[in-house]
Amino acid sequence: MKAITLATLQAMKANREKFAVLTAYDASFAQQAEKAGIEVLLVGDSLGNVILGHNSTVPVSLADMLHHTAAVSRGNSKSLLIADLPYMTYATPEQAMENATRLMQSGAQVVKLEGGAWLEDTVRKLAERGVPVCAHLGLTPQSVHKLGGYKVQGKGEEAGQKMLDDALCLAAAGADLLVLECVPTALASKISDQLSIPVIGIGAGPGTDAQVLVVYDMLGLSPRVPRFTRNFLAETGSIQGAMEAYGEAVRNGTFPAPEHCFQ
Ligand code: KIV
């Protein structure tokens, strides 16, 4: 695999080629994923749940993210590396600049943040200063207490229109990528079609430009496996095989299947 850049992903979207994203939290898994040809690694703040044993991502600190981003970066050379800005580290544009700087200096190539149009100014400032940004809409786990649980978002015409407006606003402000989590399939397809930037779905149906899964979910290691995931380890018998099969299933459009989607 050649080193993946944002330009690679843009070209893949233009050519209607799908790409695969997996979370990674350490150097060994990063190496395995890169060897399996996974185009993008995400050091997700889901590490709060799957590595640190918290019951949400809210307790995850910037120090946690810096530590794991540096480890993944040491194990990776070719996949594009996104890292999450954790809870309340980007509440103002100034905080976002300072904390994104630290994530980038730990090895991130793109920073991800959760939220809608309120982030317009922050995304613009980061983009103007050369920091690539991945926005995240739909189920935004850092807001779980405000959302009242881990629920599908964007149901109904008004909520769907608001998500589309937020997506267009963040893309216009300079976001390079967008994650859509737990969104009805038709809405995620519509947003992906209307945006020129690549859209990465999780529980968002097959119409997005890419898919992301939490690596522990697709290996069947998480205690509660979400409906939108698939156990690729059970199918293949090895971690390397599971990652390769996942990448292949995303690229050939066999994952996600209807049972992984919300209508
Ligand atoms: O933290 C994470 O792993 C994420 C993905 C689920 C998109 O944000």
Side-chain angles (χ1 to χ4, degrees):
M1 179 169 78
K2 278 185 21 186
I4 304 293
T5 64
L6 286 171
T8 318
L9 304 182
Q10 274 290 355
M12 289 180 85
K13 172 156 182 144
N15 294 333
R16 298 185 169 278
E17 287 169 49
K18 297 200 185 269
F19 59 89
V21 185
L22 265 185
T23 65
Y25 313 107
D26 65 29
S28 303
F29 272 72
Q31 265 163 12
Q32 292 278 314
E34 185 189 283
K35 254 198 259 166
I38 301 298
E39 286 89 352
V40 180
L41 302 182
L42 167 64
V43 187
D45 60 355
S46 51
L47 68 83
N49 304 77
V50 297
I51 303 284
L52 302 176
H54 297 302
N55 63 9
S56 80
T57 58
V58 172
V60 176
S61 67
L62 185 66
D64 294 329
M65 293 307 302
L66 296 174
H67 180 77
H68 288 276
T69 300
V72 169
S73 167
R74 287 190 287 268
N76 172 57
S77 57
K78 302 228 173 67
S79 305
L80 187 74
L81 204 171
I82 307 177
D84 266 329
L85 276 166
Y87 185 67
M88 235 15 109
T89 60
Y90 52 96
T92 65
E94 292 68 32
Q95 257 190 317
M97 305 295 252
E98 201 174 309
N99 295 323
T101 304
R102 298 192 61 198
L103 266 188
M104 296 294 284
Q105 289 178 337
S106 294
Q109 294 166 311
V110 180
V111 300
K112 180 162 85 57
L113 27 73
E114 298 180 3
W118 68 271
L119 283 168
E120 181 181 11
D121 190 31
T122 298
V123 170
R124 179 166 293 111
K125 285 194 163 78
L126 288 167
E128 281 171 354
R129 284 155 185 79
V131 179
V133 175
C134 177
H136 182 155
L137 294 171
L139 172 55
T140 46
Q142 292 174 16
S143 307
V144 62
H145 300 302
K146 183 83 178 168
L147 297 174
Y150 297 98
K151 300 175 183 166
V152 179
Q153 302 295 311
K155 289 203 265 185
E157 204 175 319
E158 200 181 322
Q161 186 61 47
K162 176 163 184 333
M163 201 180 296
L164 175 60
D165 292 344
D166 281 346
L168 290 168
C169 166
L170 295 170
D176 299 280
L177 299 167
L178 171 68
V179 166
L180 289 179
E181 179 166 353
C182 289
V183 172
T185 296
L187 176 61
S189 299
K190 183 172 172 185
I191 294 175
S192 306
D193 289 347
Q194 295 208 13
L195 257 55
S196 58
I197 60 172
V199 176
I200 303 164
I202 175 164
T208 55
D209 306 300
Q211 299 292 327
V212 57
L213 284 181
V214 169
V215 69
Y216 281 33
D217 290 349
M218 58 81 85
L219 296 176
L221 296 175
S222 306
R224 274 204 340 254
V225 176
R227 144 155 185 206
F228 51 73
T229 197
R230 176 169 140 191
N231 186 336
F232 286 90
L233 180 61
E235 294 172 22
T236 58
S238 76
I239 290 177
Q240 188 72 36
M243 290 177 173
E244 283 170 8
Y246 164 66
E248 192 47 37
V250 170
R251 285 180 218 106
N252 68 25
T254 52
F255 177 80
E259 65 267 26
H260 307 118
C261 303
F262 303 104
Q263 303 307 334

